[in-house]
Amino acid sequence: MAERRKEELLKKRQKLEELRRAREERKKEKPDEPAEKPEEKPTSINKKEELDRLLAELKLPSNKPEKTEPVEPLAEEPPAKIDTTLPTLDGSQSVNTTTSTPIAPSSPSIPGKFIPNFITFEAVILDIPPKEIVYYNKEVQTKDTSFEPPPPSEDEIRAKIVKEFEEAEKQRKAYEEEEKIKAEIEKKREAKLWELSEEEKKIIFNLPEFRDFVDLSTKYVERAINENYDVLRDYKLGEDIDDEVVEGPRVKYVCSYFDDRWNKNRSVTDVNWSKKNPELFLASYNKNPYAVNDPDGIVCVWSLRLLDRPEFIFHSQSDVLTTMFSDFHPSYIIGGTYSGQILVWDMRSKSLPVFKTPLGAAGHTHPVYAMQMVGTQNAHNLITASTDGLVCSWQLDMMTQPQESLELIYTDHPKTEEVSVTTFGFQKNESSAFWVGTEEGNIYQANRYAHAGGKAGINHYDIYKGHWGPITGLHFHPIDGQVDFSDIFLTSSVDWTVKMWRAKSVAKPSAVPQNIAPLYSFEGADDYIYDVKWSPTNPALFGCVDGKGNFALWNLNDDTEVPIASKKVGDRALNKLQWDKEGRRAAIGSSDGRVHIYDIGELCNPRDEEWNIMQSKISEMMDSNDVSAGRYALAK
């Protein structure tokens, strides 16, 4: 653009020089004319006289006017000057041209005829070149830099140079890196393939990172495979999924859980469900006498979606007799051991416990068969009881010593004052008073704290007698409903019976010793009954397991003589029973190390009149046994 602009300006200068040169040449060829020409005298009078003479010769009348008074001729005026100024092309000079115009003297008018007055005029011819028309366009009128940004500053130029240098350096490094990668790939191609040796394979397989990766990945795959869903089901056919048609109460076997590596030659000592993750349940196991190098006690966490192996395995130096998920810490698992230690495992950690109580006088020194969490989210305690009659209260974040301890002593016992606790239970929403089952078969009410009308420890006046053997299970009614049955509890024993009791009010203890009889005794079994549990959804339903491998379901509103449903789970004794949160599935622990899952279907759902019928049943039981005067009514 700049070069084109320079060429245009140069052309303009050359054109102007040519115009100046032409003007100067014209001036030289034609000299300047004088400013004024000599005046010419008018000849009009001579011409008239010659005309009169011609007319006289022809003897024609003359036009000569009659003589009048002489008139003085007017003074002749100089001819008028017409100034013509021609502008020059460059505007610097001007050429003046003066034309003299003689003015005729005035003459007497000739009546009847007008004679024109002619004058001479000398024309001055000037050679004026034609005006040049110059056409302009945008490129001529504007400069190339008119619409461009201002030139960059020194800092901007320096920054631009630095940036260009950095980009060039990056390109160079990228090129070098690319060449390096290509060289490595080529080197790998040229290198021969080699196979790991057996020793190298063994080292890799034993790496903890590799084993954890394989274990976790295979769990994900197995969960997806074990998902019980028919992907080929045709909804247009309207066929029933359950091909098994069963008349009467439906109790369906789901699956069994057993790991040959960890559960062989062990017995299940306790089972429990997770309240946060309903598909998880755990089981505790005792010692394997044939594996001296394995831990004495273990706890396995099983999942309904992982059938062949447990999700987690936790170890203990002693047999684990009871276990549970923490109600307020979902990742914590708590266990009571044969040595008396209370252990806390964390599913986020390894297999060893993260907290444990000391072995000594500060805690339990006898087997712990029962424990329960009481309180609320902000104020809760773990209550444990051992066979020497010691009851301790713990906080999970401080297990070095119990918050409080209470020794249960019954002074009226003929042989020993110690109360050997095998199981205990709290009423719903109760954290002070509790009931304990003992090896001798009696049930005692005890208080954690002293209160009006009673002291801390065993209540010596109210004794629940009815069993003829050690108490194996005790469970209070867990449901809030139309009628309050929270003071009704069940017990199981090795005397082949399940008995139902009504707890006496703690606020009104007896003043004299008395024996409290059960409301009813269920005697449908023919072997030891190791556990009994109320259903968490149906108020009249409970289940029990016995030493012959039978799982029995009782409904008080239907029949109190025989169970409404019974299943033969196996040939080995069944040690523990626990319902899930919905009351539909039952986890049953066996003495052969297996955990069986059963689904009771619609039996878990109560009918509308279930509460009232059960209230009537209990009233009849109380009347028949003369336990209390009047009818039993606890309607809210």
Side-chain angles (χ1 to χ4, degrees):
M1 294 295 289
E3 295 294 332
R4 191 187 308 168
R5 179 60 178 166
K6 290 180 180 179
E7 291 177 0
E8 291 174 356
L9 293 176
L10 184 60
K11 289 179 181 179
K12 287 183 179 183
R13 290 195 185 100
Q14 292 175 358
K15 190 66 175 179
L16 291 174
E17 292 294 335
E18 290 175 0
L19 292 176
R20 284 196 193 95
R21 197 178 303 113
R23 186 184 61 201
E24 291 174 358
E25 289 176 356
R26 285 195 300 271
K27 287 181 180 181
K28 290 178 181 180
E29 291 174 358
K30 188 175 182 178
D32 294 336
E33 295 181 356
E36 293 181 0
K37 291 186 177 182
E39 296 179 357
E40 295 182 358
K41 295 182 179 180
T43 60
S44 59
I45 298 174
N46 296 332
K47 288 181 180 181
K48 287 180 181 181
E49 291 177 354
E50 185 178 359
L51 181 61
D52 290 341
R53 185 180 59 81
L54 290 176
L55 289 175
E57 289 178 358
L58 293 176
K59 299 180 179 180
L60 292 176
S62 177
N63 290 334
K64 187 175 179 180
E66 298 180 354
K67 293 183 179 179
T68 59
E69 296 180 359
V71 180
E72 294 181 0
L74 297 173
E76 292 182 357
E77 296 177 0
K81 296 180 182 180
I82 299 174
D83 187 11
T84 303
T85 303
L86 297 177
T88 60
L89 293 175
D90 57 356
S92 59
Q93 297 178 1
S94 63
V95 179
N96 296 329
T97 303
T98 304
T99 302
S100 300
T101 306
I103 301 175
S106 62
S107 59
S109 62
I110 302 174
K113 188 176 180 180
F114 173 77
I115 298 174
N117 186 11
F118 294 98
I119 61 174
T120 62
F121 180 82
E122 184 180 357
V124 179
I125 300 175
L126 299 177
D127 187 10
I128 300 175
K131 184 178 181 182
E132 182 182 3
I133 301 175
V134 182
Y135 295 93
Y136 295 92
N137 53 28
K138 187 176 180 180
E139 294 181 352
V140 176
Q141 292 179 359
T142 58
K143 297 182 179 180
D144 293 340
T145 59
S146 299
F147 298 96
E148 293 181 357
S153 62
E154 184 179 352
D155 294 336
E156 292 176 349
I157 295 173
R158 186 181 293 107
K160 184 177 180 181
I161 294 173
V162 172
K163 185 177 180 181
E164 291 176 353
F165 178 81
E166 290 176 353
E167 291 178 354
E169 187 68 18
K170 287 181 181 179
Q171 291 178 358
R172 185 184 63 80
K173 290 182 179 179
Y175 177 78
E176 292 178 355
E177 188 69 21
E178 185 178 0
E179 291 296 326
K180 184 178 179 181
I181 293 173
K182 288 181 179 179
E184 290 178 356
I185 293 175
E186 191 67 22
K187 186 177 180 180
K188 289 181 180 179
R189 288 179 180 176
E190 294 175 357
K192 295 182 179 180
L193 297 176
W194 56 280
E195 187 177 354
L196 294 173
S197 63
E198 292 298 328
E199 184 178 356
E200 291 174 335
K201 291 180 181 178
K202 187 175 181 180
I203 292 173
I204 294 175
F205 291 158
N206 291 330
L207 288 175
E209 295 82 1
F210 179 79
R211 299 179 67 176
D212 292 343
F213 167 75
V214 173
D215 183 66
L216 186 61
S217 303
T218 52
K219 282 181 182 178
Y220 293 156
V221 176
E222 289 182 30
R223 288 175 191 168
I225 294 175
N226 293 328
E227 188 68 28
N228 187 17
Y229 179 74
D230 186 9
V231 296
L232 301 178
R233 183 184 178 191
D234 190 354
Y235 293 99
K236 295 184 293 185
L237 300 178
E239 58 186 1
D240 191 4
I241 301 176
D242 192 2
D243 297 332
E244 181 182 0
V245 179
V246 181
E247 295 183 358
R250 172 181 171 275
V251 179
K252 182 180 178 181
Y253 168 76
V254 178
C255 58
S256 295
Y257 294 85
F258 181 81
D259 184 90
D260 189 69
R261 165 67 179 85
W262 293 104
N263 304 144
K264 188 176 180 180
N265 299 321
R266 297 179 188 266
S267 297
V268 178
T269 57
D270 200 4
V271 291
N272 221 315
W273 291 85
S274 171
K275 294 182 179 179
K276 180 177 178 59
N277 303 300
E279 73 276 6
L280 294 182
F281 64 94
L282 55 80
S284 58
Y285 300 84
N286 60 3
K287 183 190 305 182
N288 180 4
Y290 302 103
V292 295
N293 294 325
D294 288 349
D296 288 349
I298 62 172
V299 174
C300 294
V301 180
W302 300 92
S303 172
L304 295 177
R305 295 181 176 85
L306 192 62
L307 305 180
D308 298 332
R309 55 174 172 163
E311 289 276 357
F312 303 98
I313 299 175
F314 300 106
H315 299 168
S316 169
Q317 296 178 349
S318 178
D319 299 13
V320 182
L321 305 179
T322 180
T323 185
M324 63 179 291
F325 285 98
S326 174
D327 294 342
F328 308 105
H329 304 84
S331 62
Y332 282 2
I333 295 172
I334 310 169
T337 63
Y338 186 82
S339 64
Q341 274 189 311
I342 308 299
L343 308 178
V344 179
W345 298 275
D346 193 339
M347 290 191 292
R348 300 166 296 184
S349 183
K350 299 296 183 180
S351 59
L352 296 178
V354 293
F355 304 111
K356 59 183 178 180
T357 60
L359 280 172
H364 295 290
T365 56
H366 286 66
V368 177
Y369 282 96
M371 61 183 179
Q372 187 172 339
M373 188 78 71
V374 296
T376 61
Q377 174 70 39
N378 298 324
H380 55 271
N381 296 98
L382 175 68
I383 310 300
T384 59
S386 57
T387 55
D388 61 349
L390 183 64
V391 177
C392 296
S393 174
W394 308 87
Q395 286 188 353
L396 296 184
D397 56 352
M398 190 174 65
M399 302 290 286
T400 54
Q401 61 181 4
Q403 296 295 308
E404 58 187 45
S405 59
L406 175 66
E407 187 175 1
L408 302 180
I409 298 176
Y410 184 64
T411 57
D412 296 335
H413 196 279
K415 294 183 179 180
T416 176
E417 295 183 352
E418 292 183 356
V419 177
S420 180
V421 180
T422 56
T423 181
F424 72 90
F426 286 82
Q427 291 186 22
K428 191 175 181 63
N429 300 324
E430 175 65 49
S431 60
S432 177
F434 60 97
W435 281 254
V436 296
T438 62
E439 286 185 355
E440 63 192 39
N442 293 336
I443 302 167
Y444 299 98
Q445 186 268 319
N447 299 306
R448 292 175 59 195
Y449 313 107
H451 59 87
K455 297 180 180 180
I458 290 287
N459 179 2
H460 295 270
Y461 297 109
D462 295 325
I463 304 173
Y464 298 79
K465 286 191 175 182
H467 286 292
W468 299 97
I471 307 296
T472 56
L474 185 151
H475 192 217
F476 274 89
H477 203 284
I479 309 176
D480 292 330
Q482 303 173 10
V483 184
D484 184 11
F485 296 127
S486 61
D487 59 348
I488 303 298
F489 65 95
L490 296 170
T491 56
S492 59
S493 174
V494 297
D495 63 359
W496 301 8
T497 64
V498 173
K499 299 188 185 299
M500 184 170 66
W501 311 77
R502 181 196 175 193
K504 190 173 182 180
S505 175
V506 179
K508 298 178 180 179
S510 301
V512 294
Q514 64 172 352
N515 295 332
I516 300 176
L519 293 179
Y520 196 83
S521 180
F522 303 91
E523 300 176 355
D526 54 358
D527 205 323
Y528 296 166
I529 299 181
Y530 286 105
D531 201 7
V532 62
K533 287 291 189 302
W534 285 106
S535 168
T537 54
N538 193 327
L541 186 70
F542 69 89
C544 60
V545 291
D546 62 23
K548 283 193 173 181
N550 296 317
F551 168 45
L553 286 174
W554 297 77
N555 192 313
L556 301 183
N557 295 342
D558 292 345
D559 197 339
T560 57
E561 298 297 330
V562 292
I564 62 171
S566 181
K567 277 284 183 180
K568 181 72 173 178
V569 176
D571 296 331
R572 302 291 297 271
L574 305 178
N575 297 333
K576 287 295 178 179
L577 167 68
Q578 189 62 261
W579 299 100
D580 68 350
K581 187 177 181 180
E582 298 177 353
R584 188 180 184 90
R585 296 185 182 92
I588 302 170
S590 175
S591 58
D592 61 356
R594 286 176 169 80
V595 180
H596 308 282
I597 304 297
Y598 278 82
D599 189 337
I600 66 172
E602 299 300 324
L603 293 177
C604 66
N605 299 325
R607 297 166 292 183
D608 294 337
E609 66 276 6
E610 207 81 61
W611 299 89
N612 296 328
I613 297 175
M614 184 172 176
Q615 182 181 8
S616 301
K617 289 280 186 181
I618 294 177
S619 296
E620 294 174 2
M621 294 175 184
M622 293 177 62
D623 289 343
S624 62
N625 288 277
D626 290 330
V627 175
S628 175
R631 298 189 59 82
Y632 176 71
L634 297 174
K636 290 183 178 180

